[in-house]
């Protein structure tokens, strides 16, 4: 089954404790992206990747890191999480950039105390 | 900067037609996508307009006018399951989403 898989689905942690949210897709997509979703603000892009070893900042990259060492994986790293990073996070992938449909993971709800 | 504006809420009656508008101000505009998101779920792709005009997919249609920096999503024969949030999105490599329109459907 074609899918984007994120882990964990839920996480409660404390300020300053490094964490990684994993994202994996099995569709051989070149483009992958991370979003955060906050009430009233919609989806905001954090980082995106056009292909392996190619990453770029979206609209709200501060406090986040990503890497794209393999085509299928695109982890999101919070080196020193803070409470303002409490949010719902989505990973997505598509064949390429442009107007190609994005396939979203089920989301990760992150709470930072 | 880039921005997309859409109404925050729209209410319609089951069986009716509803239009959700999206106006944009972006540089280097490439095209407009639409996504649906049910409460507690992930966004799912509905349609994409790369060129001006109407794209039809079943009960859903989407329209784009580049000269007016405007697009809309048209939902026909509304069903209760269409109650959701709808997002327009402009994309090149970097993707900008509107803040979403919550569609309420009355029986």
């Amino acid at each position: 089954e074609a899918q984007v898989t994120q882990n964990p689905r839920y996480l409660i942690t404390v300020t300053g404790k490094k964490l990684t949210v994993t994202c994996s897709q099995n569709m051989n997509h070149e483009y992958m992206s991370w979003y955060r979703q906050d009430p009233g603000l919609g989806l905001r892009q954090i980082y995106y990747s056009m292909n392996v070893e190619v990453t770029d900042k979206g609209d709200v990259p501060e406090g986040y890191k990503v890497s794209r060492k393999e085509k299928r994986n695109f982890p999101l790293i919070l080196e020193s999480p803070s409470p303002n990073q409490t949010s719902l996070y989505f990973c997505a992938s598509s064949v390429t950039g442009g107007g190609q449909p994005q396939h979203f993971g089920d989301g990760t709800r992150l709470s930072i105390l | 900067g880039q921005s997309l504006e859409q109404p925050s809420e729209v209410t319609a009656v089951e069986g009716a037609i509803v239009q959700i508008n999206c106006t944009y101000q972006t540089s280097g505009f490439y095209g407009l996508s639409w996504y649906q998101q049910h409460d507690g779920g992930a966004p799912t792709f509905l349609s994409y307009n790369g060129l001006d005009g109407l794209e039809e997919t079943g009960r859903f249609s989407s329209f784009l006018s580049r000269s007016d920096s405007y697009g809309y999503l048209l939902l026909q024969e509304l069903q209760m399951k269409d109650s959701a949030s709808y997002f327009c999105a402009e994309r090149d490599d970097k993707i900008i989403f509107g803040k979403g329109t919550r569609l309420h459907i009355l029986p």
Side-chain angles (χ1 to χ4, degrees):
Chain A
E1 179 190 352
Q3 59 186 5
V4 177
T5 303
Q6 297 178 226
N7 279 296
R9 292 291 314 280
Y10 304 90
L11 179 63
I12 301 173
T13 186
V14 296
T15 298
K17 185 176 181 182
K18 179 179 179 180
L19 67 93
T20 299
V21 185
T22 64
C23 175
S24 181
Q25 51 94 3
N26 63 359
M27 296 168 279
N28 202 35
H29 285 169
E30 291 185 352
Y31 186 98
M32 297 187 74
S33 182
W34 276 103
Y35 299 89
R36 60 178 291 173
Q37 186 172 31
D38 302 289
L41 296 179
L43 289 148
R44 293 181 292 167
Q45 192 176 45
I46 302 171
Y47 270 95
Y48 65 94
S49 170
M50 298 292 292
N51 214 324
V52 176
E53 302 291 1
V54 180
T55 63
D56 212 339
K57 296 177 181 178
D59 256 4
V60 288
E62 294 78 20
Y64 304 95
K65 284 176 59 177
V66 293
S67 68
R68 188 92 181 272
K69 294 185 171 58
E70 305 165 284
K71 198 171 189 177
R72 63 183 293 126
N73 295 324
F74 191 44
L76 179 69
I77 303 156
L78 285 72
E79 294 268 3
S80 183
S82 63
N84 65 10
Q85 293 177 298
T86 292
S87 188
L88 177 60
Y89 291 85
F90 287 102
C91 179
S93 73
S94 59
V95 173
T96 61
Q100 294 293 322
Q102 289 194 89
H103 301 260
F104 282 79
D106 289 335
T108 295
R109 187 162 292 281
L110 198 54
S111 294
I112 300 166
L113 307 176
Chain B
Q2 297 174 299
S3 67
L4 294 96
E5 299 293 329
Q6 49 182 132
S8 59
E9 290 185 276
V10 171
T11 300
V13 178
E14 189 177 16
I17 300 172
V18 72
Q19 179 174 311
I20 298 174
N21 299 322
C22 176
T23 58
Y24 61 87
Q25 289 185 320
T26 68
S27 57
F29 178 80
Y30 283 82
L32 202 65
S33 300
W34 289 92
Y35 288 81
Q36 178 191 60
Q37 185 180 28
H38 286 100
D39 285 347
T44 57
F45 174 81
L46 292 176
S47 70
Y48 173 72
N49 293 78
L51 302 173
D52 281 7
L54 194 67
E55 294 283 340
E56 296 180 85
T57 310
R59 294 187 297 114
F60 293 3
S61 304
S62 59
F63 173 83
L64 176 66
S65 169
R66 288 172 179 266
S67 59
D68 295 322
S69 298
Y70 163 74
Y72 65 72
L73 180 69
L74 192 73
L75 295 80
Q76 302 182 70
E77 301 172 17
L78 283 172
Q79 302 174 10
M80 297 304 293
K81 67 178 182 180
D82 298 329
S83 295
S85 292
Y86 293 84
F87 296 89
C88 58
E90 188 275 331
R91 71 172 295 179
D92 176 20
D93 299 328
K94 183 175 174 179
I95 302 170
I96 305 294
F97 278 82
K99 293 181 180 178
T101 299
R102 179 78 181 208
L103 175 60
H104 303 278
I105 300 176
L106 304 175

